[in-house]
Amino acid sequence: MRHYLMVRPAHFDVEYSINPWMDPGKPTDTRLAITQWEGLRELYLGLGHRVDLLDPAPGLPDMVYAANGATVVNGRALVARFHHRHRRPESAAYLKWFTEHGYRDVRQARWANEGEGDFLVTGSRILAGSGFRTDRRAHDEAAEFFGVPVVGLTLTDPRYYHLDTALTVLDDERIMYFPEAFTEESRRRLEKLYPDAVIASAADAAAFGLNAVSDGRHVILPQAATGLIARLRERGFDPIGADLSELLKGGGSVKCCTLELRPAPGKTGQAP
Ligand code: ARG
C-alpha cells in the first residue's frame, strides 16, 4: 500500500503562465478538472492505496499539483520553497499539514526546490532535477536532510521544466525517461545507472506520459501516452491510462497531482 497526499482542484485555473503549457487566454473548466481529479483519487483507492487530502486555498490555482509541496522520505518532510512568487504561499499550508499530522521532522527548505517535481525517490537514491525551478544547492540540502545520496540531473527543454515531466521512477531499480529533455552529461549519467530504462518517444513525452505514478506494479499515466503504455506492458507492468486533460492546461498530470508520503521504517501506511 502506498500513501498519497492530494489537493482537490476546487480553485483550479490558469491565471498566469510559469511554464509553456499555461495559456491564461484559454478557458478552463474547474468542474471538469475536479471530475478528472476525482477519477484519479478513486483509481488509487481502488488499488488499495491511502489518499489523504490537504485543503485547497482560494487564490492559489496551482495547489492541485501536490507533488510540488514537499518531499517525504522515512517520515521526514522537507517542505518546498517555490521558485515563482505565485506559488510561494503554498509552503505554509504544507508546513501546517505535516505539523498537524504528527510529523516531527518537518522543515521548509532553505534553497528553492519544488518537492517531488524535481526530487524523485528510488530505492537507494534521490534523482534530483535542476535547470528551471530547483536550485542546485537544494540537492545537497536534500542529501543531508534525508541522509540519502542524490544524483543531480539537468533539464534543458522548457516544456519539461520539472524532472517529473521527463522521468518516472517505476520501482526501486527501474525508471522510464525522455533523453532529449536532459543535457548530454545527464543523459550519460542515466544510461550508466539505468541501462535497461524504458525510453519515451517525443510523442509520449509531449502527452505527459512521464508524469506518471507507479506503485511498483501498476503505473498510472496519461492515457494519450499509448507508446509507453505498450512498452510498460511488455516489461510486465500493469499500466492504467488516466484522463487529466484539464489539468494539463496548467502543465501537470498524474504525478504532479500526487505527493507520496513515505513512512519511517516499520510504520507502513501510517503518518508519519
Ligand atoms: N502550473 C504548475 C507550475 O508550473 C504546474 C506544476 C506541475 N507539477 C509537477 N510536479 N510537475 O508550477
Side-chain angles (χ1 to χ4, degrees):
M1 189 197 70
R2 301 286 176 124
H3 186 184
Y4 300 126
L5 183 63
M6 297 178 75
V7 182
R8 183 175 275 108
H11 308 288
F12 173 70
D13 201 355
V14 178
E15 295 170 6
Y16 46 80
S17 180
I18 53 173
N19 69 56
W21 305 85
M22 298 175 85
D23 177 359
K26 235 192 198 162
T28 49
D29 182 341
T30 306
R31 280 180 63 165
L32 178 58
I34 294 174
T35 306
Q36 293 178 340
W37 177 92
E38 286 291 356
L40 178 63
R41 178 170 165 255
E42 272 154 30
L43 253 174
Y44 291 139
L45 296 174
L47 292 171
H49 301 310
R50 170 173 163 187
V51 178
D52 282 356
L53 299 177
L54 180 148
D55 288 335
L60 294 173
D62 271 336
M63 253 188 114
V64 60
Y65 306 112
N68 302 133
T71 308
V72 183
V73 180
N74 272 337
R76 316 189 78 193
L78 184 62
V79 171
R81 183 172 295 278
F82 287 87
H83 176 76
H84 291 288
R85 65 173 168 79
H86 312 78
R87 298 195 64 185
R88 280 185 200 146
E90 293 182 34
S91 295
Y94 285 87
L95 276 172
K96 184 163 178 268
W97 193 91
F98 287 111
T99 309
E100 287 176 358
H101 286 77
Y103 286 76
R104 269 163 301 149
D105 262 321
V106 185
R107 186 171 88 193
Q108 183 176 12
R110 172 153 180 237
W111 303 106
N113 93 64
E114 301 201 344
E116 286 196 317
D118 275 321
F119 285 140
L120 295 178
V121 182
T122 71
S124 54
R125 55 177 81 101
I126 296 177
L127 303 178
S130 68
F132 296 99
R133 303 284 181 94
T134 293
D135 191 305
R136 272 169 209 277
R137 289 167 290 190
H139 295 181
D140 293 336
E141 184 181 13
E144 201 180 300
F145 183 70
F146 295 118
V148 172
V150 168
V151 176
L153 298 166
T154 309
L155 297 160
T156 52
D157 182 333
R159 288 176 306 160
Y160 307 111
Y161 57 93
H162 273 146
L163 185 61
D164 75 351
T165 65
L167 187 152
T168 313
V169 168
L170 296 170
D171 60 21
D172 285 354
E173 281 98 39
R174 291 181 287 178
I175 65 164
M176 56 182 185
Y177 69 102
F178 179 50
E180 280 98 304
F182 297 90
T183 58
E184 273 297 326
E185 196 195 339
S186 297
R187 275 189 226 183
R188 276 198 299 273
R189 193 165 284 174
L190 286 169
E191 277 162 23
K192 210 163 150 208
L193 289 171
Y194 301 99
D196 297 326
V198 175
I199 301 297
S201 67
D204 282 333
F208 250 59
L210 294 159
N211 199 244
V213 169
S214 173
D215 63 14
R217 177 171 163 213
H218 310 96
V219 184
I220 305 180
L221 73 170
Q223 61 187 17
T226 49
L228 279 180
I229 289 176
R231 290 298 87 68
L232 287 166
R233 219 169 257 134
E234 285 161 18
R235 302 280 182 116
F237 288 97
D238 208 340
I240 304 172
D243 181 9
L244 289 176
S245 56
E246 211 44 39
L247 293 163
L248 198 50
K249 293 179 183 168
S253 190
V254 176
K255 174 58 204 166
C256 296
C257 294
T258 313
L259 174 61
E260 184 162 355
L261 306 178
R262 298 176 189 79
K267 293 232 179 181
T268 318
Q270 290 163 30

